[in-house]
Amino acid sequence: QVQLVESGGGLVQPGGSLRLSCAASGMELEAHSIGWFRQAPGKEREGVSAISSGDGVVYYADSVKGRFTISRDNAKKMVYLQMNSLRPEDTAVYYCATRLGIMTFRMWKQQGPYDNWGQGTQVTVSS
């Protein structure tokens, strides 16, 4: 049974950092592309970042470029999102999701291509 479990969220001051983790089980992670999404109160879920299987191409939303870094450790079946220079507008529930196969620029921000989702972890950026 495929399971994704996010962790690492919390309360942080503006300008601070957090590292989110996503633990995958029940799958061969190297065969999957991984995405991070977030959903703020009253807003739609949006793509934050993704990393493709195979060539490992990474994608970032414009709002997080230069501040967030996605990475993966296939052997440990872990995916990470390092978030630096956090802003109040980064406050949201963050979700990881996986897709069997490669990820492309046209697909990565869409929720439909992803097969499995975690339950999310809350990130709150506030002074």
Side-chain angles (χ1 to χ4, degrees):
Q1 181 178 354
V2 173
Q3 189 174 21
L4 300 173
V5 179
E6 301 94 337
S7 62
L11 173 64
V12 64
Q13 292 187 341
S17 298
L18 283 174
R19 189 177 81 153
L20 304 183
S21 300
C22 175
S25 60
M27 66 167 67
E28 295 297 327
L29 189 62
E30 58 266 29
H32 291 74
S33 300
I34 300 102
W36 282 99
F37 287 74
R38 67 186 181 187
Q39 188 166 19
K43 295 188 177 181
E44 293 186 355
R45 192 173 295 188
E46 63 174 357
V48 174
S49 182
I51 183 167
S52 181
S53 64
D55 56 10
V57 173
V58 297
Y59 305 96
Y60 295 99
D62 288 342
S63 59
V64 307
K65 276 181 183 176
R67 301 188 297 124
F68 290 12
T69 304
I70 190 171
S71 61
R72 62 193 296 165
D73 186 331
N74 291 332
K76 294 183 177 179
K77 295 189 178 181
M78 295 292 295
V79 183
Y80 306 101
L81 186 68
Q82 178 66 44
M83 306 187 297
N84 299 328
S85 302
L86 283 162
R87 306 167 180 169
E89 53 264 38
D90 295 318
T91 295
V93 178
Y94 283 71
Y95 301 88
C96 65
T98 63
R99 165 185 168 80
L100 181 63
I102 66 169
M103 184 58 67
T104 69
F105 178 76
R106 290 183 63 184
M107 289 194 300
W108 81 269
K109 284 186 177 180
Q110 302 173 46
Q111 299 180 54
Y114 295 88
D115 307 309
N116 304 289
W117 291 82
Q119 294 301 306
T121 185
Q122 176 71 47
V123 172
T124 302
V125 185
S126 175
S127 55

